[in-house]
Amino acid sequence: MQYTPHMKVFRFTITEYSFLAFFAILVLVSYLSFQRIDGLIKSSELVSRSSTIKLKLEQAVSYMKDAETGQRGYLLTQDSSYLTPFYGAIANCNLRLRQADSLCYDDSIQHRNIQELQTLIAVRSDFLTLAMRPSDTTQSTSELTAYLGLARNT
């Protein structure tokens, strides 16, 4: 076959092969970088969610301490102004526990742990409320003992 001026001959030089090789490497590195960044973003979201759950649980514990403080204030002074922060603290504690539970939607172990904590907090708040009730001392003591036994068994 004779070469004619109308025929195109495709010959690649070393520079063109090098360019194609570097382009392929660049595409590969870009893809791997994208995958790595996507993984880092997902990890960051998990860390953020874990920190939020931890914060909600710490707030719940703090509110429970506030409820205990309100109960002590009421028992010492019989001043009903201590009851407002007491009931507010219990409501806020339960709210924080529900918020933490809603963040654990995909982790069954943590969901179960938070439900167990909710049960313990409910027993504790019932115990605090029961201890403030004016009633027969014998009846209160037996009810408190029953609650203490329930709290230890759960």
Side-chain angles (χ1 to χ4, degrees):
M1 182 166 162
Q2 292 271 343
Y3 174 73
T4 63
H6 301 301
M7 295 178 75
K8 291 187 178 181
V9 178
F10 291 104
R11 290 189 186 168
F12 289 112
T13 62
I14 293 178
T15 307
E16 291 168 333
Y17 280 124
S18 299
F19 177 75
L20 288 175
F22 286 132
F23 182 75
I25 290 171
L26 181 63
V27 169
L28 177 66
V29 168
S30 297
Y31 174 75
L32 294 175
S33 295
F34 175 78
Q35 292 297 322
R36 181 71 177 150
I37 290 170
D38 189 48
L40 288 173
I41 290 171
K42 289 177 182 175
S43 295
S44 175
E45 289 170 354
L46 288 174
V47 168
S48 176
R49 188 171 70 165
S50 295
S51 296
T52 304
I53 291 169
K54 183 178 175 185
L55 175 66
K56 298 296 181 190
L57 293 175
E58 287 173 356
Q59 288 173 339
V61 169
S62 177
Y63 281 123
M64 204 60 212
K65 289 177 186 176
D66 292 346
E68 291 172 351
T69 302
Q71 183 225 27
R72 270 193 311 275
Y74 175 75
L75 290 175
L76 290 173
T77 64
Q78 295 298 310
D79 182 3
S80 62
S81 66
Y82 286 100
L83 295 178
T84 303
F86 170 77
Y87 289 116
I90 289 177
N92 284 327
C93 178
N94 290 329
L95 174 66
R96 294 306 184 268
L97 288 173
R98 284 192 306 274
Q99 289 171 342
D101 189 36
S102 70
L103 292 170
C104 292
Y105 57 88
D106 60 344
D107 190 344
S108 62
I109 294 171
Q110 292 302 329
H111 178 70
R112 193 171 344 117
N113 288 340
I114 290 177
Q115 285 183 334
E116 183 177 336
L117 182 61
Q118 285 175 322
T119 302
L120 293 173
I121 294 286
V123 168
R124 182 69 179 165
S125 64
D126 288 347
F127 173 75
L128 294 174
T129 304
L130 184 63
M132 292 189 308
R133 259 191 5 205
S135 62
D136 180 28
T137 307
T138 309
Q139 180 185 2
S140 294
T141 305
S142 64
E143 287 178 354
L144 291 174
T145 305
Y147 269 104
L148 284 174
L150 176 64
R152 287 189 184 115
N153 292 334
T154 56

